[in-house]
């Protein structure tokens, strides 16, 4: 089961405190790029630009697998379209979206633990790919992703009933 963030931090800890050698040229380049991004963001902030170049999304985009970039991008689009007409409406939409997303993240984590237990017990799973083929599975994955995005959008946009 891949865990890119855990592997990254494990590699860094082993490089700093263990006997593993880090690719220091990559670390130095990362620091240089980070400083350049911070300088550009500071200039944008001073000019009161609506566009900002925050370092964390860039860093996350660099070390996470490309397959996670699409859902992150779609989440950014949902956030952009959820901006309400007033500050209070925007905050309400954002609060509902954060709550729903937190539930999805928690559910994914629980599911990951359950799948880890199944893998440890060497319980083999059935494969939908046998029924749909590779192209069908890709299409099904995109469809499910789009349904989750739409669900998040409408759930977040829905007026509070409290």
């Amino acid at each position: 089961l891949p865990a890119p963030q855990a592997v990254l931090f494990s590699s860094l800890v082993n490089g700093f405190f263990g006997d593993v050698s880090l690719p220091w040229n990559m670390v130095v380049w990362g620091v240089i790029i980070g400083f350049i991004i911070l300088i550009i963001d500071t200039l944008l902030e001073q000019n009161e630009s609506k566009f900002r170049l925050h370092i964390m999304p860039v860093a996350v985009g660099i070390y996470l697998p490309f397959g996670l970039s699409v859902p992150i991008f779609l989440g950014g689009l949902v956030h952009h379209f959820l901006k309400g007409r007033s500050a209070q409406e925007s905050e309400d939409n954002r609060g509902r979206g954060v709550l729903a997303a937190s539930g999805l993240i928690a559910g994914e984590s629980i599911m990951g633990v359950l799948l880890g237990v199944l893998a440890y017990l060497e319980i083999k799973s059935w494969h939908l790919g046998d029924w749909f083929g590779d192209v069908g599975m890709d299409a099904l994955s995109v469809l499910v992703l789009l349904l989750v995005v739409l669900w998040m959008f409408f759930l977040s946009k829905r007026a509070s009933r409290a």
Side-chain angles (χ1 to χ4, degrees), residues 59-114:
V60 167
I62 289 172
Y63 83 83
L64 282 181
F66 186 71
L68 292 178
S69 298
V70 173
I72 291 171
F73 175 72
L74 290 175
L77 286 177
V78 168
H79 173 74
H80 174 75
F81 289 118
L82 282 176
K83 290 182 181 175
R85 289 180 287 276
S86 69
Q88 182 60 41
E89 183 181 351
S90 291
E91 193 59 36
D92 290 346
N93 291 344
R94 183 174 157 199
R96 286 189 300 274
V98 167
L99 185 61
S102 298
L104 287 173
I105 291 169
E108 188 269 340
S109 298
I110 293 168
M111 208 54 212
V113 169
L114 292 176

Side-chain angles (χ1 to χ4, degrees), residues 37-159:
I37 290 171
L38 285 173
I39 291 168
I40 292 171
D41 186 51
T42 302
L43 293 172
L44 289 170
E45 183 181 25
Q46 288 174 351
N47 291 330
E48 298 179 6
S49 173
K50 288 185 178 183
F51 176 79
R52 297 288 302 280
L53 190 60
H54 299 287
I55 196 163
M56 270 315 281
V58 173
V60 167
I62 289 172
Y63 83 83
L64 282 181
F66 186 71
L68 292 178
S69 298
V70 173
I72 291 171
F73 175 72
L74 290 175
L77 286 177
V78 168
H79 173 74
H80 174 75
F81 289 118
L82 282 176
K83 290 182 181 175
R85 289 180 287 276
S86 69
Q88 182 60 41
E89 183 181 351
S90 291
E91 193 59 36
D92 290 346
N93 291 344
R94 183 174 157 199
R96 286 189 300 274
V98 167
L99 185 61
S102 298
L104 287 173
I105 291 169
E108 188 269 340
S109 298
I110 293 168
M111 208 54 212
V113 169
L114 292 176
L115 289 174
V117 168
L118 292 176
Y120 176 76
L121 296 174
E122 297 181 3
I123 296 175
K124 303 295 181 200
S125 63
W126 49 276
H127 299 279
L128 288 176
D130 295 341
W131 297 345
F132 295 108
D134 289 341
V135 174
M137 286 306 298
D138 289 343
L140 182 62
S141 297
V142 169
L143 177 66
V144 169
L145 176 64
L146 291 176
L147 288 173
V148 169
V149 168
L150 287 172
W151 176 72
M152 288 290 297
F153 178 80
F154 289 115
L155 182 74
S156 299
K157 198 71 170 165
R158 186 178 64 200

Side-chain angles (χ1 to χ4, degrees), residues 24-39:
W24 286 104
N25 59 340
M26 299 284 284
V27 173
V28 170
W29 274 111
V31 169
I32 291 169
I33 291 170
F35 276 121
I36 291 170
I37 290 171
L38 285 173
I39 291 168

